[in-house]
Amino acid sequence: QVQLVESGGGLVQAGGSLRLSCAASGRTFSSYSSAWFRQAPGKEREFVAAINRSGDRYYVDHLKGRFTISRDNAKNTVYLQMNSLKPEDTAVYYCAAALDVGGGYYNTGLYNYWGQGTQVTVSS
C-alpha cells in the first residue's frame, strides 16, 4: 500500500514558479512509476508528466520546457517544478503512482494510488 501526499500548491502571478512535492509512504516507492496529472474546473483530468523507476521522464507536449518532473528516492518524494506559469495552468494537481504502467504513463486508469490533490492558481 502506498499513500501519497502533495504539497507546494498556492497562488502565484503569471510568469512565476512553483515546486510541487509528492511524499510517499512505503519503503519500495523507488520501484514505482510516478506521475502528475491536473484537473481544471469543468475539464477532464489530464496528464502532465511521469517518471519511471529508471528515471525516464515523459511530458505532455505543450508543457515541455516549462515543467520538470524529478524524484528523490532517498526521500520517497517526487517533484514537479513549474516555471513561467500561465493562468491556464490553474488546476488541482494530483500525484499518482503505480508499479507498472508500461507505455501508458499518460493513462489515469493505470495508476493505483493517488494523492488528495493540491490547488495551483495562477493570476494574470
Side-chain angles (χ1 to χ4, degrees):
Q1 189 76 8
V2 174
Q3 291 185 325
L4 305 174
V5 179
E6 302 101 330
S7 61
L11 174 64
V12 64
Q13 288 189 332
S17 298
L18 282 175
R19 188 177 78 157
L20 305 183
S21 299
C22 173
S25 64
R27 292 175 292 177
T28 61
F29 185 64
S30 59
S31 300
Y32 285 72
S33 293
S34 299
W36 289 94
F37 291 80
R38 69 184 185 183
Q39 189 166 18
K43 295 188 177 181
E44 293 187 354
R45 192 168 298 189
E46 66 168 348
F47 170 74
V48 173
I51 185 167
N52 64 17
R53 70 188 76 179
S54 301
D56 300 319
R57 307 177 191 190
Y58 307 90
Y59 299 93
V60 65
D61 285 345
H62 64 88
L63 294 178
K64 282 181 181 177
R66 291 200 298 124
F67 288 16
T68 303
I69 190 171
S70 61
R71 66 190 304 161
D72 185 336
N73 289 330
K75 295 183 178 179
N76 273 7
T77 301
V78 176
Y79 303 98
L80 184 69
Q81 178 68 43
M82 306 185 295
N83 298 327
S84 302
L85 283 162
K86 304 176 181 181
E88 52 264 43
D89 294 319
T90 295
V92 178
Y93 284 71
Y94 296 91
C95 177
L99 273 175
D100 185 10
V101 298
Y105 44 86
Y106 52 84
N107 186 339
T108 58
L110 297 181
Y111 290 89
N112 309 98
Y113 305 103
W114 291 84
Q116 82 288 352
T118 185
Q119 176 70 46
V120 171
T121 303
V122 184
S123 63
S124 58

